[in-house]
Amino acid sequence: MSAIPPSFSAADSSPALSFDPVLLLQAQGVRVAFFDVDGVLTDGGLYFSETGETLKRFNTLDGHGLKLLQKAGITPAVITGRDSAPLRLRLKALGVEHAVFGTEDKRPAAEQMLASLGFSWLQAAAMGDDWPDLPVMRRCALACAPANAHVEVRHAAHHTTVARGGEGAAREFCDLLLVASGRYAALLADYTQ
């Protein structure tokens, strides 16, 4: 006997996701979200081809989260210590327009982006996994770290995801921001009708 798939009703379309109310209040005014790449949008591993080309693995859940942020009016921005053609292609495909590549000094890059966008640190959130991310994370209204981030970064974060970097951690961060913005349920409803 085969299992019969359950039928879904309108009542089943309510969000299953929830976060601590204090965390949601802290994230409520966020208008820009800064992301590191290696260890956040990727698993942090560096893969090299026979010709020495650096290859990266990105998670599609994270990519969809970045697209959802844009739909909700939250600007995703990337500040990374590395630069590569695959990274630039991935960000272009996701519609991420604000990025600074090849910098270990991330605070000035974030400050310039905030100024160009007309936002303040109180309207910013950040996700990072290692020490170079701390100067940005410590200034933002909300700081998040993947589960496998360095201990000092997890300690500085307001929230640590269940998922590891490159395995859906950025999506968890995006979901938190979407719930706090009040847009999560409406965006979800677009897919459950």
Side-chain angles (χ1 to χ4, degrees), residues 56-167:
K56 295 181 183 286
R57 178 187 165 275
F58 296 96
N59 187 296
T60 58
L61 288 173
D62 295 340
H64 191 65
L66 294 174
K67 288 180 177 181
L68 290 172
L69 284 184
Q70 293 170 70
K71 286 184 178 182
I74 299 170
T75 302
V78 167
I79 303 175
T80 178
R82 295 187 180 273
D83 190 2
S84 69
L87 171 59
R88 287 179 181 258
L89 286 171
R90 180 65 176 149
L91 294 181
K92 183 177 180 180
L94 295 173
V96 175
E97 298 175 0
H98 303 281
V100 175
F101 304 95
T103 183
E104 289 292 321
D105 195 3
K106 297 183 178 189
R107 184 185 53 79
E111 287 173 343
Q112 288 176 354
M113 266 194 232
L114 287 171
S116 72
L117 293 167
F119 298 134
S120 73
W121 286 111
L122 294 175
Q123 296 170 294
M127 184 173 210
D129 72 314
D130 208 347
W131 293 4
D133 304 312
L134 288 171
V136 173
M137 292 175 67
R138 289 187 181 276
R139 286 167 174 78
C140 287
L142 180 73
C144 190
N148 59 323
H150 188 275
V151 64
E152 298 298 341
V153 177
R154 290 192 318 265
H155 179 72
H158 301 107
H159 179 69
T160 299
T161 63
V162 174
R164 298 168 58 87
E167 297 176 6

